């Protein structure tokens, strides 16, 4: 873990900057089986997300979650709870769009948000500022930024699992050796 | 799942082609905390791999596992068991190299192997050919190719988990919501 909060911002940004290109490399131009399907994920329940849903969810986060919450912390502190995040808003966000359009939207929004974050010129005293999560209670700006980065990673983790499960049967006896096929989704992405 | 074996090869290749660029986008130029460390992964045991180890392991697979085994199936069938795969050979493979060098090596080897795969011009009857895994017993070429692709995904899955665990404490109460922080590694990557 980072010992300095200034270092922490740069580290989180290092992840946040790379996620759009990572998803682009993994998903753009992929056959539908890998990006539209969640079949075969019996571990995942009926509401499992496809790659298409996941990118849509990340877009909604860029629009309504991370930077808006950072601003609430800086402007209102604990006095105003965050607006709850709608984990299913991507159905509307993604309607009628191609995966390529979603990847473009995500890349553009993330770039805008990271530029806005830089403009805030955060100092250690800002990162200790507290806000109020509607369910989790008191959180800090530092925790919000770390969570933004890990939220990207949790969806890369989910994406690799949902994709891999399409080939669960295809791997034959090797499935015993492939950890991703034994991932149950942890009741969360 | 694909119903046609010809389609199956193209699907597997769609994943295999994209993995080097995916890892490149995710890892190149990253601060050391994200790519050299496996601290904080108490779920993962002491021999948890860092990003550096994982790319090294993928390189060893390109050199000694996938295409050599495909050739054994096509040339010797079940008569000759595969050579066992050394899951720890990357320590030697990676010694003295930078992560950027490993990413370059992986990209080059994968490209060569996919070119060699194309040269084989596999037909449905080839994909049903059987070989002998030293521990798992009889497997088919189709299963080998599917496993090659899912093996990439299992290491993307592992990578996102190992990286995320570096920020397990940093996320504060949000860690409850982040599935990747609750992944125990499934006793396998």
């Amino acid at each position: 873990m980072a010992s300095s909060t200034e270092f922490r911002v740069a580290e989180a940004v290092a992840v946040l900057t790379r996620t759009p290109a990572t998803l682009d490399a993994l998903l753009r131009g992929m056959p539908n089986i890998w990006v539209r399907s969640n079949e075969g994920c019996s571990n995942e329940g009926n509401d499992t997300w496809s790659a298409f849903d996941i990118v849509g969810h990340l877009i909604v986060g860029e629009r309504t979650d991370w930077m808006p919450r950072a601003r609430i912390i800086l402007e209102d502190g604990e006095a105003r709870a965050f607006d709850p995040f709608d984990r299913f808003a991507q159905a509307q966000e993604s309607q009628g769009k191609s995966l390529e359009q979603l990847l473009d939207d995500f890349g553009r929004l993330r770039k805008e948000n990271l530029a806005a974050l830089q403009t805030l010129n955060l100092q250690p005293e800002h990162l200790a500022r507290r806000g109020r999560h509607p369910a989790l209670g008191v959180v800090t700006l530092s925790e919000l930024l770390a969570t933004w980065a890990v939220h990207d990673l949790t969806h890369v983790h989910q994406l690799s699992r949902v994709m891999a499960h399409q080939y669960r049967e295809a791997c034959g006896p090797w499935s015993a050796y492939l950890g991703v096929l034994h991932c149950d989704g942890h009741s969360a992405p």
Side-chain angles (χ1 to χ4, degrees), chain A:
Chain A
M1 261 190 0
S3 53
S4 142
T5 44
E6 288 171 281
F7 187 43
R8 167 69 47 78
V9 176
E11 280 171 9
V13 167
V15 172
L16 292 166
T17 305
R18 283 165 174 78
T19 306
T22 302
L23 297 182
D24 218 86
L26 184 61
L27 299 175
R28 192 176 289 267
M30 267 293 207
N32 271 345
I33 180 183
W34 297 119
V35 294
R36 286 287 193 155
S37 180
N38 56 12
E39 283 173 33
C41 300
S42 60
N43 286 347
E44 303 244 337
N46 288 330
D47 62 350
T48 302
W49 294 356
S50 66
F52 190 80
D53 302 322
I54 292 168
V55 180
H57 167 75
L58 290 169
I59 289 172
V60 176
E62 293 304 302
R63 287 200 204 283
T64 69
D65 190 334
W66 309 106
M67 282 304 290
R69 288 180 171 190
R71 291 195 185 94
I72 290 172
I73 292 177
L74 291 171
E75 289 165 20
D76 301 292
E78 294 175 62
R80 177 186 160 192
F82 306 145
D83 301 323
F85 181 62
D86 182 353
R87 288 186 57 240
F88 299 95
Q90 63 271 14
Q92 201 173 350
E93 177 69 39
S94 312
Q95 208 168 23
K97 293 191 179 165
S98 68
L99 180 64
E100 282 64 28
Q101 284 175 294
L102 295 184
L103 290 166
D104 288 342
D105 289 351
F106 176 54
R108 181 176 46 76
L109 290 165
R110 172 58 58 86
K111 205 170 173 181
E112 289 170 8
N113 278 328
L114 291 179
L117 180 69
Q118 196 174 19
T119 305
L120 294 176
N121 189 26
L122 295 174
Q123 303 300 315
E125 62 270 23
H126 294 120
L127 293 171
R129 294 264 189 98
R130 294 148 68 109
R132 190 153 50 86
H133 187 284
L136 297 170
V138 173
V139 292
T140 66
L141 181 57
S142 172
E143 288 166 350
L144 177 76
L145 297 179
T147 301
W148 190 4
V150 176
H151 181 263
D152 279 8
L153 295 170
T154 213
H155 286 293
V156 171
H157 185 254
Q158 180 190 31
L159 197 49
S160 61
R161 181 179 67 239
V162 173
M163 291 171 70
H165 278 228
Q166 307 311 311
Y167 264 21
R168 187 210 295 260
E169 300 301 324
C171 294
W174 265 294
S175 64
Y177 287 180
L178 295 162
V180 68
L181 296 179
H182 303 279
C183 184
D184 65 5
H186 328 292
S187 306

